[in-house]
Amino acid sequence: MSTNLLTNTAAFGGQVQEYFWLWENQELRIVYETIGQGSPILLLPAFSSVSTRSEMAELARLLAPHFQVTVIDWPGFGDSSRLGLDYRPVIYQQFLADFVKSVFDTTVSVIGAGHATGYILELAFKEPQILNKIVLIAPTWRGPLPTMGASQEIAAMVRGIIRFPIIGQFLYKINTAPSFLKWMYTRHVFSNADKLTPDFIANKWQTTQKTGARFASAAFVTGNIDTFYTQSEFLSLAQSLSIPIMAVIGASSPTKSRQEMDALAALPKIESVVVPGSLGLHEEFPGEVFQFILPFLNRL
């Protein structure tokens, strides 16, 4: 495993680097970006078909005067390698542990959005000595199809079809068309549709069109990278941790997701705050998120 410095493709004016990581004898190129000075904070984007470190750009800029902020593109997403792997939790669990231990030489705070929640909690459980604070933004643990009630069998069938070279690519393109992306953002991700400009949607669409993009995306949508199967597993792990945790919840979150977030927030050791926005509140309302998490991150 090694890192190299890149000279371009900065999403928010930081130093862009690549981290080479081996999984089952296949080398994955992981792109990450660092900005600011001070105690380190790792930002983890939400898993989604449009997942990219640029969704954390404004939050990273706001944090940079106070911390050294590193934002990654997950394996299979963004500018990182998009190999045709069978993406599943063990891949991301091992990657996150290896990345944190390789890149940081001190304890690090972690801010994760959406589905990153499970991976952060599991890392904190297995290696509590490398994390010092956790912020969970719009925390979720179940993929879209399972949330809609699809069985594991149906989800696996959909995932299998998407992996086929021709029909799979065709179905993926339909479900990542600009019109579909705008519909998705309007329903679940942003609370103000006026922010969904043609340029915004075009940039998101371009993210989905990179070679191999459908593999990790399909794994997320069908629940194949879900870290938990039940709410009780999710809450039990969160409750077991001694590391300080703050949950940031969007006031307009979808009903089922909001129920899960509220259940987490109700745990005795979890600090929580409700801010404007939905599942993409870290991108839509970064200023409000920053305002509430800064005192938590600065607390000794």
Side-chain angles (χ1 to χ4, degrees):
M1 302 174 189
S2 62
T3 61
N4 290 327
L5 182 65
L6 300 179
T7 58
N8 52 17
T9 68
F12 45 84
Q15 184 182 78
V16 183
Q17 293 175 272
E18 52 188 1
Y19 167 74
F20 292 96
W21 181 68
L22 282 177
W23 175 257
E24 295 182 344
N25 297 319
Q26 296 188 78
E27 186 177 71
L28 282 75
R29 171 182 175 269
I30 308 302
V31 175
Y32 66 101
E33 189 168 343
T34 302
I35 189 172
Q37 300 290 329
S39 301
I41 291 183
L42 175 62
L43 268 61
L44 302 174
F47 286 95
S48 74
S49 297
V50 295
S51 177
T52 172
R53 70 186 189 281
S54 65
E55 70 190 56
M56 291 286 193
E58 189 55 36
L59 183 57
R61 291 190 191 102
L62 291 168
L63 289 165
H66 309 272
F67 306 97
Q68 181 193 72
V69 184
T70 296
V71 192
I72 69 163
D73 280 328
W74 287 106
F77 298 95
D79 290 327
S80 294
S81 294
R82 302 196 183 201
L83 303 184
L85 305 178
D86 176 19
Y87 290 95
R88 55 198 192 278
V90 65
I91 293 178
Y92 292 104
Q93 290 163 351
Q94 190 63 56
F95 160 73
L96 186 57
D98 289 346
F99 181 86
V100 171
K101 288 185 283 187
S102 295
V103 172
F104 302 101
D105 56 8
T106 183
T107 57
V108 59
S109 294
V110 182
I111 301 173
H115 228 59
T117 293
Y119 293 100
I120 296 171
L121 296 180
E122 292 203 340
L123 180 63
F125 177 76
K126 293 176 181 175
E127 312 216 34
Q129 75 282 357
I130 64 178
L131 302 181
N132 52 45
K133 286 190 180 74
I134 294 170
V135 175
L136 305 174
I137 302 175
T140 57
W141 57 269
R142 188 165 47 196
L145 275 185
T147 299
M148 292 165 58
S151 67
Q152 291 186 32
E153 291 76 16
I154 290 176
M157 182 181 68
V158 171
R159 188 166 57 252
I161 292 173
I162 295 295
R163 293 187 69 87
F164 283 120
I166 297 176
I167 188 173
Q169 186 66 30
F170 175 73
L171 290 175
Y172 174 76
K173 282 185 177 294
I174 292 175
N175 285 278
T176 53
S179 57
F180 182 86
L181 293 178
K182 186 171 184 178
W183 175 83
M184 178 186 71
Y185 265 87
T186 302
R187 285 203 61 182
H188 306 300
V189 186
F190 273 27
S191 58
N192 183 358
D194 292 340
K195 297 183 179 182
L196 305 176
T197 64
D199 283 347
F200 179 91
I201 295 298
N203 286 334
K204 297 298 182 181
W205 176 79
Q206 289 172 0
T207 297
T208 69
Q209 299 306 298
K210 296 185 178 182
T211 301
R214 72 185 190 276
F215 299 114
S217 174
F220 163 69
V221 170
T222 59
N224 208 48
I225 58 173
D226 291 356
T227 46
F228 307 103
Y229 290 105
T230 66
Q231 184 192 73
S232 60
E233 289 178 317
F234 170 56
L235 298 179
S236 177
L237 181 56
Q239 178 65 14
S240 73
L241 301 177
S242 58
I243 299 170
I245 300 174
M246 170 177 268
V248 183
I249 300 169
S252 303
S253 300
T255 301
K256 288 185 178 180
S257 298
R258 179 64 188 269
Q259 290 171 349
E260 300 293 348
M261 296 175 199
D262 287 343
L264 175 67
L267 295 177
K269 293 195 251 182
I270 306 295
E271 294 188 43
S272 65
V273 61
V274 178
V275 302
S278 186
L279 299 182
L281 62 95
H282 56 289
E283 186 172 18
E284 187 180 8
F285 295 103
E288 287 81 353
V289 172
F290 169 75
Q291 172 189 344
F292 283 106
I293 68 175
L294 184 62
F296 172 78
L297 293 169
N298 279 329
R299 193 181 307 155
L300 298 178

PDB file of all heavy atoms in Angstrom, residues 106-123:
ATOM      1  N   THR A 106      -1.972   9.624  14.176  1.00  0.00           N
ATOM      2  CA  THR A 106      -2.536   9.964  15.472  1.00  0.00           C
ATOM      3  C   THR A 106      -4.026   9.629  15.438  1.00  0.00           C
ATOM      4  O   THR A 106      -4.549   9.238  14.404  1.00  0.00           O
ATOM      5  CB  THR A 106      -2.326  11.454  15.790  1.00  0.00           C
ATOM      6  OG1 THR A 106      -2.824  11.734  17.108  1.00  0.00           O
ATOM      7  CG2 THR A 106      -3.048  12.343  14.767  1.00  0.00           C
ATOM      8  N   THR A 107      -4.691   9.768  16.570  1.00  0.00           N
ATOM      9  CA  THR A 107      -6.126   9.513  16.582  1.00  0.00           C
ATOM     10  C   THR A 107      -6.835  10.538  15.708  1.00  0.00           C
ATOM     11  O   THR A 107      -6.372  11.663  15.534  1.00  0.00           O
ATOM     12  CB  THR A 107      -6.697   9.572  18.005  1.00  0.00           C
ATOM     13  OG1 THR A 107      -6.404  10.850  18.571  1.00  0.00           O
ATOM     14  CG2 THR A 107      -6.111   8.473  18.871  1.00  0.00           C
ATOM     15  N   VAL A 108      -7.971  10.154  15.161  1.00  0.00           N
ATOM     16  CA  VAL A 108      -8.663  10.994  14.190  1.00  0.00           C
ATOM     17  C   VAL A 108     -10.154  11.039  14.518  1.00  0.00           C
ATOM     18  O   VAL A 108     -10.726  10.058  14.996  1.00  0.00           O
ATOM     19  CB  VAL A 108      -8.426  10.455  12.756  1.00  0.00           C
ATOM     20  CG1 VAL A 108      -8.921   9.040  12.614  1.00  0.00           C
ATOM     21  CG2 VAL A 108      -9.060  11.360  11.712  1.00  0.00           C
ATOM     22  N   SER A 109     -10.770  12.195  14.298  1.00  0.00           N
ATOM     23  CA  SER A 109     -12.227  12.292  14.358  1.00  0.00           C
ATOM     24  C   SER A 109     -12.792  11.924  12.993  1.00  0.00           C
ATOM     25  O   SER A 109     -12.140  12.144  11.970  1.00  0.00           O
ATOM     26  CB  SER A 109     -12.655  13.706  14.744  1.00  0.00           C
ATOM     27  OG  SER A 109     -12.251  14.022  16.059  1.00  0.00           O
ATOM     28  N   VAL A 110     -13.988  11.377  12.976  1.00  0.00           N
ATOM     29  CA  VAL A 110     -14.601  10.946  11.722  1.00  0.00           C
ATOM     30  C   VAL A 110     -15.988  11.563  11.594  1.00  0.00           C
ATOM     31  O   VAL A 110     -16.785  11.533  12.541  1.00  0.00           O
ATOM     32  CB  VAL A 110     -14.713   9.408  11.632  1.00  0.00           C
ATOM     33  CG1 VAL A 110     -15.319   9.008  10.302  1.00  0.00           C
ATOM     34  CG2 VAL A 110     -13.361   8.759  11.797  1.00  0.00           C
ATOM     35  N   ILE A 111     -16.243  12.128  10.411  1.00  0.00           N
ATOM     36  CA  ILE A 111     -17.571  12.628  10.071  1.00  0.00           C
ATOM     37  C   ILE A 111     -18.044  11.833   8.871  1.00  0.00           C
ATOM     38  O   ILE A 111     -17.397  11.840   7.819  1.00  0.00           O
ATOM     39  CB  ILE A 111     -17.534  14.128   9.713  1.00  0.00           C
ATOM     40  CG1 ILE A 111     -16.986  14.943  10.888  1.00  0.00           C
ATOM     41  CG2 ILE A 111     -18.925  14.617   9.317  1.00  0.00           C
ATOM     42  CD1 ILE A 111     -16.761  16.414  10.559  1.00  0.00           C
ATOM     43  N   GLY A 112     -19.142  11.124   9.001  1.00  0.00           N
ATOM     44  CA  GLY A 112     -19.649  10.303   7.913  1.00  0.00           C
ATOM     45  C   GLY A 112     -21.107  10.585   7.639  1.00  0.00           C
ATOM     46  O   GLY A 112     -21.883  10.861   8.554  1.00  0.00           O
ATOM     47  N   ALA A 113     -21.473  10.509   6.362  1.00  0.00           N
ATOM     48  CA  ALA A 113     -22.859  10.753   5.963  1.00  0.00           C
ATOM     49  C   ALA A 113     -23.535   9.459   5.571  1.00  0.00           C
ATOM     50  O   ALA A 113     -22.906   8.542   5.018  1.00  0.00           O
ATOM     51  CB  ALA A 113     -22.904  11.743   4.799  1.00  0.00           C
ATOM     52  N   GLY A 114     -24.831   9.395   5.842  1.00  0.00           N
ATOM     53  CA  GLY A 114     -25.643   8.286   5.365  1.00  0.00           C
ATOM     54  C   GLY A 114     -25.124   6.918   5.750  1.00  0.00           C
ATOM     55  O   GLY A 114     -24.881   6.615   6.923  1.00  0.00           O
ATOM     56  N   HIS A 115     -24.916   6.088   4.725  1.00  0.00           N
ATOM     57  CA  HIS A 115     -24.568   4.680   4.904  1.00  0.00           C
ATOM     58  C   HIS A 115     -23.160   4.472   5.441  1.00  0.00           C
ATOM     59  O   HIS A 115     -22.806   3.346   5.806  1.00  0.00           O
ATOM     60  CB  HIS A 115     -24.704   3.976   3.560  1.00  0.00           C
ATOM     61  CG  HIS A 115     -25.465   2.691   3.627  1.00  0.00           C
ATOM     62  ND1 HIS A 115     -26.751   2.616   4.077  1.00  0.00           N
ATOM     63  CD2 HIS A 115     -25.111   1.417   3.298  1.00  0.00           C
ATOM     64  CE1 HIS A 115     -27.167   1.357   4.010  1.00  0.00           C
ATOM     65  NE2 HIS A 115     -26.183   0.611   3.545  1.00  0.00           N
ATOM     66  N   ALA A 116     -22.346   5.520   5.475  1.00  0.00           N
ATOM     67  CA  ALA A 116     -21.021   5.391   6.083  1.00  0.00           C
ATOM     68  C   ALA A 116     -21.129   5.080   7.573  1.00  0.00           C
ATOM     69  O   ALA A 116     -20.178   4.582   8.189  1.00  0.00           O
ATOM     70  CB  ALA A 116     -20.217   6.667   5.876  1.00  0.00           C
ATOM     71  N   THR A 117     -22.293   5.334   8.140  1.00  0.00           N
ATOM     72  CA  THR A 117     -22.521   5.165   9.574  1.00  0.00           C
ATOM     73  C   THR A 117     -22.084   3.804  10.080  1.00  0.00           C
ATOM     74  O   THR A 117     -21.336   3.693  11.054  1.00  0.00           O
ATOM     75  CB  THR A 117     -24.011   5.384   9.898  1.00  0.00           C
ATOM     76  OG1 THR A 117     -24.343   6.752   9.654  1.00  0.00           O
ATOM     77  CG2 THR A 117     -24.317   5.050  11.341  1.00  0.00           C
ATOM     78  N   GLY A 118     -22.559   2.745   9.446  1.00  0.00           N
ATOM     79  CA  GLY A 118     -22.260   1.400   9.919  1.00  0.00           C
ATOM     80  C   GLY A 118     -20.778   1.101   9.936  1.00  0.00           C
ATOM     81  O   GLY A 118     -20.269   0.449  10.864  1.00  0.00           O
ATOM     82  N   TYR A 119     -20.078   1.568   8.925  1.00  0.00           N
ATOM     83  CA  TYR A 119     -18.646   1.303   8.839  1.00  0.00           C
ATOM     84  C   TYR A 119     -17.864   2.073   9.893  1.00  0.00           C
ATOM     85  O   TYR A 119     -16.875   1.573  10.434  1.00  0.00           O
ATOM     86  CB  TYR A 119     -18.155   1.624   7.421  1.00  0.00           C
ATOM     87  CG  TYR A 119     -18.752   0.664   6.420  1.00  0.00           C
ATOM     88  CD1 TYR A 119     -19.848   1.027   5.645  1.00  0.00           C
ATOM     89  CD2 TYR A 119     -18.263  -0.634   6.308  1.00  0.00           C
ATOM     90  CE1 TYR A 119     -20.434   0.130   4.760  1.00  0.00           C
ATOM     91  CE2 TYR A 119     -18.842  -1.537   5.424  1.00  0.00           C
ATOM     92  CZ  TYR A 119     -19.929  -1.148   4.655  1.00  0.00           C
ATOM     93  OH  TYR A 119     -20.512  -2.047   3.797  1.00  0.00           O
ATOM     94  N   ILE A 120     -18.304   3.263  10.209  1.00  0.00           N
ATOM     95  CA  ILE A 120     -17.666   4.034  11.274  1.00  0.00           C
ATOM     96  C   ILE A 120     -17.887   3.361  12.624  1.00  0.00           C
ATOM     97  O   ILE A 120     -16.959   3.200  13.421  1.00  0.00           O
ATOM     98  CB  ILE A 120     -18.206   5.473  11.295  1.00  0.00           C
ATOM     99  CG1 ILE A 120     -17.842   6.199  10.012  1.00  0.00           C
ATOM    100  CG2 ILE A 120     -17.669   6.230  12.501  1.00  0.00           C
ATOM    101  CD1 ILE A 120     -18.506   7.549   9.854  1.00  0.00           C
ATOM    102  N   LEU A 121     -19.117   2.958  12.891  1.00  0.00           N
ATOM    103  CA  LEU A 121     -19.420   2.322  14.173  1.00  0.00           C
ATOM    104  C   LEU A 121     -18.649   1.021  14.338  1.00  0.00           C
ATOM    105  O   LEU A 121     -18.142   0.721  15.439  1.00  0.00           O
ATOM    106  CB  LEU A 121     -20.925   2.067  14.290  1.00  0.00           C
ATOM    107  CG  LEU A 121     -21.826   3.304  14.323  1.00  0.00           C
ATOM    108  CD1 LEU A 121     -23.294   2.887  14.444  1.00  0.00           C
ATOM    109  CD2 LEU A 121     -21.450   4.243  15.458  1.00  0.00           C
ATOM    110  N   GLU A 122     -18.541   0.243  13.271  1.00  0.00           N
ATOM    111  CA  GLU A 122     -17.814  -1.020  13.370  1.00  0.00           C
ATOM    112  C   GLU A 122     -16.318  -0.789  13.576  1.00  0.00           C
ATOM    113  O   GLU A 122     -15.669  -1.518  14.322  1.00  0.00           O
ATOM    114  CB  GLU A 122     -18.066  -1.872  12.134  1.00  0.00           C
ATOM    115  CG  GLU A 122     -19.506  -2.362  12.041  1.00  0.00           C
ATOM    116  CD  GLU A 122     -19.661  -3.613  11.198  1.00  0.00           C
ATOM    117  OE1 GLU A 122     -18.769  -3.894  10.381  1.00  0.00           O
ATOM    118  OE2 GLU A 122     -20.670  -4.320  11.383  1.00  0.00           O
ATOM    119  N   LEU A 123     -15.760   0.219  12.916  1.00  0.00           N
ATOM    120  CA  LEU A 123     -14.354   0.549  13.132  1.00  0.00           C
ATOM    121  C   LEU A 123     -14.131   0.993  14.574  1.00  0.00           C
ATOM    122  O   LEU A 123     -13.148   0.609  15.211  1.00  0.00           O
ATOM    123  CB  LEU A 123     -13.910   1.648  12.163  1.00  0.00           C
ATOM    124  CG  LEU A 123     -12.454   2.095  12.287  1.00  0.00           C
ATOM    125  CD1 LEU A 123     -11.498   0.951  11.958  1.00  0.00           C
ATOM    126  CD2 LEU A 123     -12.173   3.294  11.379  1.00  0.00           C
TER     127      LEU A 123
END
